[in-house]
Amino acid sequence: MRRVLLVLVALGVVVALPSRARAAGECAPLPAKKPVWIDFADGSVPFWEEFARPGVVAAASNLLFPPKLRARGARTVYWDMYLNKRIGQPATPVDSDTVVAKANKLFDAAALSSDCSTPPIAENELFGAGLPTPWSVTNTQYRANVLLYLRTLAARGAHPYLLVSSRPYTAGDAGDWWRQVAQVADLVQEVYFPAPAIYSQGPIVGSRILRTAFRRAVLSYTRIGIPISKLGIMLGFQTEPHQGGREGLKPAQAWFRTVKWQALAARQVASEWPLPTIWSWGWANWGQRGLDPDKPAAACVYLWTRDHRLCNGPAAAGPGFVASTTEGQIRLPRGIQCTVDRRQISAAAIARLRSLVGDREIAFTTLFARTVESERADVSTTDVLAAERAVVAQRFHGSPGAYRSALAKAGATVAVARGILGDELRRVRIEASLPAGRPSGSAVAAFYSSYPDLLARPVVVKPSAWWLGGGTSGLALSSLAPPAVFRVPAGRTTEIRAFDGRYTVRPLGRTMPLGALPLSRAREGIVDALRAFARGAAFERWTAAAQTSALRRTVCVRDDLPNAAAVDLSTYLPFLSPAG
């Protein structure tokens, strides 16, 4: 980096350089409302007239098209197509002694083209943005040339915009260089997408991918201290293969739809962060390169998406165009973090649950899982209140005060606990519908030898019970069955209140340790228990898969999505567990 510093010492002469441009007029300022949308629209764009209208800022060069664009009401930014001709490339930088003269020459051309003494100038484009340090000797010289060139333009009164075509490397000395550039120029990150990949994901996921990429582009710079006010993004609508853009997407309606999604995604990100500029590229044709008869309609759709007054996008796109500007977009009521179709997850609910689990992500994931699982099994308020009464009766000797005290000690409220009870009831119902194979003999024997102290009792029940493998008779084990089962007087049919409802229980024998029974008598009870555990594992797989699938239907603030996972909150409040 020493050579960079030596080269930059020469920059002190820049401010003293005289202006050689003819007297130019005052610049028409760019729109005050942010973001400013800027579209490449010089003579290489056959339909440049589409951009020549009030409300559009067009980027163009030379002395022919910028005046025509302005004459029709557009504002203009000077476009320097070939920055590499002035400062070289990372492997072949020009002599630094020539950079100041080239920058002054370009400034004079831009001032003349813009009829403006302080022209905005787009510099296309920085090469090797992602090269890590330590830089080679040639790249060090190239980066010094870029900075010298931009500083010269800025000293003359220009507002340079440096276009960056690849993700930047910003660590260490490279970060210092980016920060120096941002002192004299805006950084515009090009973010291009292959349209087929975006379209195939549908409006929710496709739009999310776009927004996430735009945010990532911005964060690359803000993380090293460059302010949002110095940043922009550029969208690509090119047709050439392997460049990002249409990439052969057909039919045209699909392409127009992704064009719309890109504009909406960029606008959303700009509403979160006050980006000064959003640029578009790819409208030009150079011979057969970029030739696409659908480009004028795509440009119209892009303009219309930004502002319906700029063009009639649906008419240009033709029949079949999906004109919705809300599909896939983040449009949530105040205080709502996410929606899964029409089901909502509120920020307040996340905060309440966080007080119990101590982690926002766990709380968020739990509520998302609850939302998804509710689509499979509904649990009524009546069911939850009955489960609550059972918990109070069985585990707190019928004392609601003791129950509430236990909740408060754990950092939970009655409402939070009722949500967990609903989760547990829902899980029981879903697990009952999931398959579970018969365990092996060795698994049965291992359980028998590992848990000899479990309470066991042969019973007949109505209705069928999940803790008896879904049957009406069998060997109840205390790891699953309600505690009251083991206290029912022998020879008497008794109704008991369990977590998931009421059961009529008739004991067929006395309560005893599992190890006191011969394995032959204990086998079926153990099989039922192992199958229940297998269904528990199957449930965890099912809910993770269901949640992952549901993410495709989920819209969240700033695309802050939950993780897909099974979370059992009864581990925080064990007395709410349905297991015995």
Side-chain angles (χ1 to χ4, degrees), residues 114-157:
S114 303
D115 192 25
C116 171
S117 58
T118 55
I121 302 175
E123 290 296 345
N124 182 55
E125 63 196 325
L126 180 75
F127 293 162
L131 291 174
T133 53
W135 288 330
S136 66
V137 171
T138 57
N139 190 48
T140 298
Q141 184 63 53
Y142 170 75
R143 292 296 185 101
N145 286 351
V146 173
L147 189 51
L148 177 58
Y149 185 83
L150 295 173
R151 282 183 165 174
T152 304
L153 293 177
R156 293 286 303 278

Side-chain angles (χ1 to χ4, degrees), residues 431 436 466-467 469 480 526-537:
E431 283 185 10
W466 65 271
W467 37 271
L480 297 176
I526 295 173
V527 167
D528 289 340
L530 289 174
R531 295 188 72 194
F533 300 150
R535 288 191 179 94

Side-chain angles (χ1 to χ4, degrees), residues 191-210:
V191 191
Y192 302 155
F193 307 88
I198 299 300
Y199 184 74
S200 67
Q201 295 299 314
I204 290 179
V205 178
S207 297
R208 184 188 301 154
I209 292 170
L210 295 168

Side-chain angles (χ1 to χ4, degrees), residues 210-215 218 233 264-275 278 559:
L210 295 168
R211 291 189 298 263
T212 300
F214 292 147
R215 293 190 193 97
V218 173
I233 54 175
L264 292 171
R267 184 166 66 189
Q268 172 67 46
V269 172
S271 74
E272 299 167 0
W273 294 320
L275 288 174
I278 299 173
D559 296 305

Side-chain angles (χ1 to χ4, degrees), residues 35 102 119 214 248 262 266 300 339 395 432 448 547 553 564:
K102 291 177 179 178
F214 292 147
Q262 287 202 52
C300 183
T339 58
R395 292 166 183 171
Y448 179 73
Q547 291 172 51
R553 302 180 280 119

